[in-house]
Each structure stands twice: as C-alpha cells, then as structure tokens.
Amino acid sequence: MHIHSVYICAATILSIAHHSFSSENQTIINNVTKTEYNDLNLTQNVSLDKAKPTNASLEENTEAQSKDGDHNTEAHGKADCPPLGLESLRVSDDQLQASSSLSVGLGPHRGRLNIQSGIEDDDEYDGAWCADLEDQEQWLQVDALRPTLFTGVILQGRNSIWSLDWVRTYKVQFSNDSLVWQPCMNGSEEAVFVGNGDQETPVLALFLEPTVAQFIRINPQTWFSNGTICLRAEVLGCPVPDPDYPQLSESSDDLDFRHHNYNEMRKLLKSVNDECPDITRIYTIGRSYTGLKLYVMEISDNPGKHELGEPEFRYVAGMHGNEVLGRELLLNLMQYICHEYKKGNQRVIQLVKDTRIHLLPSMNPDGYEKAYEKGSELSGWALGRYSFEYIDMNHNFPDLNNIMWDAQEMATDKKKVSNHYIPMPEYYTSTAALVAPETRAVINWMQDIPFVLSANLHGGELVVTYPFDCTRDWIPRQDTPTADNDFFRWLAAVYASTNLVMSNPNRRTCHWEDFQQHNNIINGANWHTVPGSMNDFSYLHTNCFEITVELSCDKFPHASELPVEWESNKESLLLYMEQVHRGIKGVIRDKDTKAGIANAVIKVEGVDHDIRSAVDGDYWRLLNPGEYKIIVWAEGYFPRIRHCNVGSEPRPTICDFTLTKTSQDRLKQILAQGRKIPRDDQVRIRAMRMRKLRASTKILNRRREQQQRLNKVKTK
C-alpha cells in the first residue's frame, strides 16, 4: 500500500540500527531510503532541545511546548516522560484493546515491546498484536486509566522465526473517553510517523506536541509488503498529578536509583568505600576485552582477609550486559548495607560480622555500555547481551557435566568416578580456546576464594533456576537434578517466595511460560539446556552452590522503576545471603601438628557430591535439616567418621575433624600386599590445568594490550 502527498510529523524519530546522532547539537537524521523521503515529504534534521524545568501544570507545559518547539527530551534522545509500562507489565491486559485481532495469541495483550513468542506460531503466546484486517482503520489502543501527558511511542515488529511482519508508517490519536478522538497533528496536517524496517529494532517517535488524554491509539497506515499489520509497542507519558491515583511507591531507602554507566559505577563504588571504609574494599578480578575493569565490592568486618570458619558469599550480575537490573540491585545493596550498618541495624551487622560478601555488579561491562548507549527502551532484546567478541558467557564455562556423565557410563565402578572438583579439559586452557577474558577472570576468582554460595542475576523473566542447567544426551529440556536437588530447591524457593513480584499470585506471565505453576522455581535444564553454564561449573569444579535469578520481565527497566524493583528484591537478596550459614562447617586439622589440612574430602553418606576443605583446613557443607554421617579423608591420613545434626535455624553445626597420618608401617603393609598407596591425583590435575589457564590468559592479555596500544597510535 502506498501513500501519496502526506506529511510525516516533525517529531523526533529514533532508530537503533539506522540513525546518525550528533551529541554536539543533538540533531537526528533517520536513515530512511531516498524514495521514502520523497514520497512522504519527511522533515529532516529535527533539533532535540532539552526541556527546561518549570512549575507550570502539564497542560500548560503542553501549550508551551507547542509554541516553542521544546521536545521534552534527555540524553541519548530519550523522552523525559517514562514508559507507561507495556513492557514491564505495569499496564494490564485489560488496558489494551484493538480494532481486530488475527487470533487469540495475536491479541492486543501481546502488543508489548520486546514480548517474546512461544515455540509455535499461532499458539496463545504469539509475538505481537496483529490485526485481522489489512486496512488503514486498524488500531491498538492503550488506556492509561488517568489523564496523562503522552510524549511518544516506541514501535517494534513481530517476534517470530516464521513470519516477517512490521508496520512501516502509522498515525496516533488521543481521547479522553474512547469515543471522540483527536489526531496527533503536525501543524495543520495529521502526523504520520515512520515505523519499523525489521522485526526487532525498536523505533522511537517523540510527539512535536505532547498531548494530555487518557487513551491513545496507534493506527498503522503502511506495513511490510510481504507481511501483515503486526506490532509491539511502548507508550511514553507522564501522569497528570491526581490524588485519586497514587504514584509508583517510592523506596524509603536513601539510595542512588538510576542507571550507572562504567564511570558512574566506579564513582558509586568509591563513594560507598569512602563512607564505610571499615567494612568495604574495592578490588578487581580482571579486565574485559576492551580493557574495562571487573570491579568487586567486598563487604566484611575484616575486609581483605579470609577469616577461619567464615563463609565466602558472592553475587554476580551483568553476565548478559543488557540485563541490567541485577547490576543496579547490587549497587543498591552495597549502599544499603553500608547505611544500615552505620545505623546499627542488627541484622545487617550480624551478616557483615559472620559473612565475607563479594559483589560483582558487572561481569560484562562491554555489553552493558552498548545497551546503555541506546537506553532502557531502545536497546531491544539482545543488544549488549554478548561480550565484545560476541560470546555468550553463560555458555562459555567448561562443560564438566558431560565429562562426568561420560566417565560414569564408561566406568565399571561408578563410585570411583569423581563427583566434584572435576578438572577443566586440557583444550580449554590453551590460547586458541574461545574463552572470553571475562570468563577467564571469573574462573580465576573462583579458584582464589573458597566461595560457599552464590547467585547469578539475570533478567527477561521472573523465575529462579537451579542446577543442573545442562541435560544429558543433548535433550532440549529435561529435569536434570544434582545430588543436592532438595537443597537447591530450598535456595530457589527462598528467593522466589520472598520476591514481591514473583510471589504475587495475580501477576501476568512475562512472555509465554507460566512459572507460577512451579512456584516460580524450575530446574535449569528443565527450562532449556545450557551446556557450559557458570552454575554447573561452580558446582562441579568448586565447592560453591549457585542458582540463577531471572529478576524481571523487562531486561532494562526504566530508571523510574528502580525504587520499586529494589523494594521487591531487598528481602530476597538479604535472606538468600543468610542461607550460607545452613548445614555444617568446621576445620580439619592434623592430629599432631594441629595445622589445617587443605583439600581434604568431605563426604556426606547418601549424597553423591563431595566437597573439599580450603587452604586453612576450614570447610562448609550446605545441608537441609537432618542427621548426617560425615566421612573425611585426605591423602596421607586415615579417614575419620562423625555423625552431625543440622537444625532448622540458619546457624551452622560445628563439625570439626582431626586426622591421623598414615603410619610408615601401614604404608609398607599396603605395598607388600601389592596394592597402590592412595593418591589424590585429581587435585593435582585440577591445579595443573588451572596454572595452564592462567598462563594462557596472561599471554592473551599481553597480546590484547599491545594491539590496543597500536590502535591508539594509529588513531592519533
């Protein structure tokens, strides 16, 4: 369908993939084809000027902006008014209507920015709203429930691997009663906006004349010639102040609720450290591909030192750079702990006293910077997910699952197959291995610190997953539990049941899977198989138990939603950390010297997963309440058995061991019988492979630094 002699609104139009942005004068040029410009008489080079603060009413603001051309924008071309919440689900399904729908699964409730389709097209969970009729009278309508200053629309095509559908141009109308409609105008002409040129790129249009109304309609005019009328959308608007409609609840905590880029994050880390120097320490574990540092905030009553018997805990966020909520929550968490510690909050004081906490807010800073540059509404579903080298870090760790399972299938005695501390494969340690520098840094970090418990914070769904993440035999999805399945389910339930959004029985599903039927927890492999996940590697290569928390439907929530997200997750974050004190702990010592014994094996009878003691001989074994038979063994020592009882309170049972060295007479007796003296070769191989990984990492880092220096010289 072709339109002749119409005028595109002189609104600001932004496209992620096709635009030129001058930060000097904030001039936008949309990269539409020459034919489209000629046919549509597009007004180019629209200037974006920041709106000046004013005390006038929103209606008065509308009049003023229409007179002076002010566009009410902020940095990166984003509108000052936040999204209504189609993507974040703050807008309910009942607030969305349409002129017609192609099917139930393509109804107006599916017309949400970044919504993902189900496995099959034409099911109940398709990837857009699609009209049943192909004419210019079709529309998607949003009811804001109250008078709202509408400032813009973001449009996206249909999410589908089978169909190519998107809207090329559209009009917008406003109403206060859904009966009488007023078109968005461009002077004396009805405005027509440029929409999409593909399925996934979000395109923003800011209205030249923001309008106060309760209802807004998006009215497609042209669409992809080989497709049909389909769209996903977000609407930008500021609610008119009204005592009958409460604002989004603000947090009572005095925290820095905004998105922090790399430099801003560094400043915040320093400010927390300056405010609480006695309990915080900033350190780095490596650098990203482009040289950005991977910062960690340590929180402890004795920062910089591992205290005997004190468990080590970590939160990791930003593995996928565009899943940003975890990053901001960890920055909020370190501020909160600092503030509450100074206020004398006994719960926080106890946590800091008894636990060494490590917070890595950005594992993939290169990816984050890409997403941040576009902004919360315009980064799309995947921009910034991967590393600079386009590596998905959640598939980038050694796949130890299949190494263990293959060994079990080949072994005549499965009991002799290692179930823990499995060495990484030889090929993974070479310079030729496709391993991101960020992944290498985290593996090295895991080796240096005896972590006990961790959580990996993601976004894009509302669910908590627990290992294993990888299925056997490459099945797409299948429940694949670990030997510690009951405890992992407990950990997942602790977070999910205390998260205010997850635990809300009336909440809508994010995309197409209803995790509420599983109480918002699921075995990772039963969702989708992920070979080489950080969770599985952590469990099989170290002593650390780790889960994944999918924090929100929206991967990059608007800054205005961060206080609410903090309140939703605050209790979950604190309570989950406290679970590190469940089970048993103790120190394994030499009977004669009283020195701690490193790498002693701690075996729980009936649980086919062992752990090891740390360098000083201390250990922590996470367990549910119950009576356990514990067997401890170390190379060169006689084994020892104890029975330890674990209570229901989050306080560990102390279960120390003293081991007696194997006598020379006993060793001679073993050799005389033709038997071999037991050797702990697995620890040696594991340590050797780790040394090789560190050596290859140093070589690659030097190469990268040299290349970056050469690039700088060339650019000068």
Side-chain angles (χ1 to χ4, degrees):
M1 192 173 292
H2 208 58
I3 296 180
H4 296 282
S5 302
V6 296
Y7 292 89
I8 293 295
C9 181
T12 301
I13 302 172
L14 291 169
S15 168
I16 287 182
H18 307 296
H19 76 270
S20 170
F21 184 92
S22 170
S23 59
E24 201 169 303
N25 56 19
Q26 294 185 315
T27 297
I28 303 297
I29 304 173
N30 200 63
N31 191 15
V32 185
T33 65
K34 186 175 181 180
T35 303
E36 287 173 317
Y37 274 114
N38 292 339
D39 288 349
L40 299 173
N41 295 324
L42 177 63
T43 302
Q44 301 183 46
N45 297 337
V46 180
S47 178
L48 288 181
D49 299 314
K50 287 195 175 184
K52 298 176 182 178
T54 175
N55 294 323
S57 68
L58 292 177
E59 289 84 350
E60 292 169 340
N61 284 348
T62 301
E63 292 180 16
Q65 288 161 356
S66 65
K67 289 177 182 177
D68 64 17
D70 218 343
H71 286 259
N72 204 27
T73 62
E74 61 179 9
H76 309 304
K78 296 178 289 186
D80 277 343
C81 284
L84 263 61
L86 277 77
E87 181 179 11
S88 68
L89 305 184
R90 200 164 65 246
V91 171
S92 70
D93 289 348
D94 294 338
Q95 293 173 249
L96 302 174
Q97 293 185 19
S99 53
S100 65
S101 297
L102 193 57
S103 67
V104 173
L106 291 166
H109 64 295
R110 304 298 293 177
R112 299 172 180 273
L113 188 71
N114 286 322
I115 201 164
Q116 303 297 293
S117 65
I119 298 174
E120 303 289 341
D121 271 8
D122 302 322
D123 62 11
E124 295 182 14
Y125 303 99
D126 221 315
W129 162 68
C130 294
D132 188 33
L133 304 174
E134 291 190 5
D135 60 43
Q136 293 179 323
E137 304 304 318
Q138 303 306 303
W139 45 261
L140 176 68
Q141 175 180 304
V142 182
D143 179 1
L145 300 179
R146 58 186 291 183
T148 300
L149 178 70
F150 293 113
T151 60
V153 166
I154 301 170
L155 220 62
Q156 199 176 30
R158 177 182 177 183
N159 176 249
S160 171
I161 60 174
W162 311 108
S163 305
L164 297 175
D165 303 306
W166 56 83
V167 169
R168 286 189 179 276
T169 61
Y170 62 99
K171 296 179 179 179
V172 172
Q173 294 98 33
F174 308 102
S175 176
N176 286 319
D177 57 9
S178 76
L179 299 174
V180 178
W181 292 87
Q182 170 191 341
C184 176
M185 301 298 291
N186 177 22
S188 60
E189 302 287 340
E190 186 171 358
V192 180
F193 300 93
V194 171
N196 299 107
D198 59 45
Q199 294 169 280
E200 294 297 333
T201 303
V203 177
L204 165 66
L206 297 176
F207 306 148
L208 180 64
E209 299 182 7
T211 301
V212 174
Q214 180 174 330
F215 300 88
I216 184 172
R217 277 182 178 176
I218 301 169
N219 173 211
Q221 296 297 295
T222 63
W223 44 93
F224 180 51
S225 57
N226 292 330
T228 189
I229 300 174
C230 294
L231 63 86
R232 293 174 285 169
E234 183 61 87
V235 175
L236 307 182
C238 294
V240 175
D242 189 330
D244 293 333
Y245 293 92
Q247 298 287 334
L248 272 176
S249 58
E250 293 292 327
S251 173
S252 59
D253 298 318
D254 182 21
L255 308 177
D256 188 4
F257 292 117
R258 61 192 174 98
H259 291 294
H260 299 76
N261 65 15
Y262 179 73
N263 289 329
E264 291 164 343
M265 181 184 72
R266 291 175 59 181
K267 291 176 183 177
L268 189 144
L269 291 171
K270 186 177 185 306
S271 70
V272 173
N273 182 236
D274 288 344
E275 185 176 354
C276 293
D278 294 337
I279 62 167
T280 63
R281 179 177 73 102
I282 303 168
Y283 66 96
T284 63
I285 61 171
R287 291 178 182 267
S288 70
Y289 186 89
T290 65
L292 301 182
K293 293 181 179 179
L294 306 183
Y295 286 104
V296 177
M297 175 64 80
E298 177 191 342
I299 303 176
S300 168
D301 63 340
N302 194 359
K305 180 182 178 183
H306 171 72
E307 297 181 70
L308 190 70
E310 184 169 288
E312 308 267 358
F313 176 93
R314 73 170 182 258
Y315 273 130
V316 176
M319 169 181 274
H320 294 147
N322 64 330
E323 298 169 14
V324 307
L325 180 56
R327 173 191 182 107
E328 297 307 324
L329 288 176
L330 293 192
L331 296 179
N332 293 155
L333 181 62
M334 61 182 70
Q335 293 174 78
Y336 176 82
I337 292 176
C338 172
H339 295 172
E340 295 300 307
Y341 187 89
K342 292 174 66 178
K343 290 178 183 177
N345 182 321
Q346 288 303 307
R347 181 187 189 185
V348 170
I349 290 172
Q350 194 69 34
L351 187 63
V352 172
K353 179 183 175 184
D354 295 342
T355 320
R356 192 180 180 207
I357 302 164
H358 305 259
L359 307 178
L360 172 60
S362 188
M363 181 177 167
N364 180 8
D366 293 346
Y368 176 84
E369 293 300 306
K370 283 184 182 179
Y372 178 84
E373 183 181 352
K374 297 300 179 184
S376 62
E377 286 73 60
L378 296 178
S379 58
W381 189 250
L383 183 70
R385 172 186 176 91
Y386 305 102
S387 73
F388 184 87
E389 302 167 279
Y390 213 73
I391 294 172
D392 187 335
M393 295 182 201
N394 205 32
H395 296 258
N396 198 221
F397 288 79
D399 177 9
L400 304 184
N401 305 55
N402 284 291
I403 291 175
M404 180 180 70
W405 292 331
D406 290 347
Q408 289 173 347
E409 288 182 5
M410 295 173 62
T412 54
D413 185 359
K414 292 184 179 181
K415 292 182 179 179
K416 293 184 178 180
V417 176
S418 177
N419 60 24
H420 72 293
Y421 259 43
I422 299 173
M424 67 185 76
E426 181 76 29
Y427 75 84
Y428 194 88
T429 66
S430 74
T431 56
L434 187 61
V435 184
E438 299 88 346
T439 307
R440 291 172 176 268
V442 169
I443 291 175
N444 188 61
W445 187 37
M446 291 178 175
Q447 191 80 9
D448 285 343
I449 297 176
F451 291 112
V452 180
L453 182 61
S454 174
N456 185 7
L457 306 183
H458 285 246
E461 256 299 350
L462 279 167
V463 67
V464 182
T465 73
Y466 53 90
F468 286 123
D469 290 333
C470 182
T471 61
R472 288 175 179 256
D473 304 319
W474 305 102
I475 297 170
R477 58 187 297 174
Q478 184 180 60
D479 187 39
T480 311
T482 66
D484 289 283
N485 190 57
D486 289 344
F487 193 81
F488 271 118
R489 286 180 59 83
W490 164 262
L491 290 172
V494 163
Y495 201 102
S497 64
T498 53
N499 181 281
L500 300 184
V501 178
M502 286 190 205
S503 59
N504 179 2
N506 300 317
R507 74 171 177 87
R508 182 192 185 282
T509 57
C510 288
H511 300 285
W512 59 278
E513 290 198 81
D514 181 12
F515 292 109
Q516 287 185 293
Q517 62 181 320
H518 307 295
N519 295 317
N520 303 300
I521 68 172
I522 192 170
N523 174 259
N526 203 26
W527 184 15
H528 53 260
T529 186
V530 181
S533 78
M534 186 165 72
N535 291 6
D536 288 0
F537 177 78
S538 182
Y539 181 69
L540 293 175
H541 188 72
T542 76
N543 293 329
C544 186
F545 287 28
E546 182 172 281
I547 63 171
T548 291
V549 183
E550 299 282 349
L551 292 163
S552 66
C553 304
D554 187 349
K555 289 186 175 184
F556 200 143
H558 191 270
S560 62
E561 297 182 24
L562 294 179
V564 177
E565 293 288 3
W566 165 251
E567 288 300 322
S568 176
N569 285 277
K570 177 169 65 175
E571 177 59 25
S572 304
L573 290 166
L574 294 171
L575 189 61
Y576 184 78
M577 284 193 288
E578 292 169 339
Q579 304 313 301
V580 75
H581 297 287
R582 290 194 177 275
I584 62 174
K585 74 172 186 177
V587 182
I588 300 168
R589 302 180 188 275
D590 182 293
K591 183 180 180 181
D592 298 323
T593 66
K594 308 304 180 185
I597 301 173
N599 291 317
V601 178
I602 296 93
K603 181 183 292 292
V604 180
E605 188 176 72
V607 180
D608 189 23
H609 182 77
D610 305 336
I611 64 162
R612 299 266 181 161
S613 59
V615 173
D616 297 328
D618 46 353
Y619 78 93
W620 307 262
R621 183 53 165 101
L622 299 175
L623 292 166
N624 280 324
E627 180 81 20
Y628 296 94
K629 180 180 178 181
I630 311 297
I631 304 102
V632 172
W633 171 85
E635 183 178 314
Y637 291 86
F638 287 107
R640 179 84 186 274
I641 298 174
R642 283 192 61 180
H643 288 83
C644 303
N645 184 66
V646 176
S648 59
E649 295 299 317
R651 290 193 298 270
T653 298
I654 306 300
C655 204
D656 294 327
F657 288 83
T658 55
L659 301 185
T660 302
K661 281 188 176 179
T662 308
S663 65
Q664 290 298 317
D665 290 342
R666 177 56 180 160
L667 295 176
K668 290 177 182 178
Q669 186 181 19
I670 291 172
L671 292 173
Q673 293 173 347
R675 294 158 54 196
K676 293 182 179 180
I677 296 172
R679 287 174 54 86
D680 199 350
D681 291 330
Q682 179 179 312
V683 168
R684 293 183 178 84
I685 295 171
R686 181 177 178 272
M688 178 186 66
R689 299 267 170 87
M690 191 64 220
R691 287 195 296 272
K692 288 184 176 181
L693 183 74
R694 285 171 170 164
S696 65
T697 299
K698 287 181 179 179
I699 293 171
L700 291 171
N701 287 344
R702 282 198 297 269
R703 288 179 186 172
R704 196 159 43 248
E705 289 167 3
Q706 289 170 358
Q707 187 61 49
Q708 288 168 355
R709 283 196 293 269
L710 286 173
N711 291 340
K712 287 181 180 179
V713 171
K714 289 179 182 179
T715 56
K716 287 181 178 179

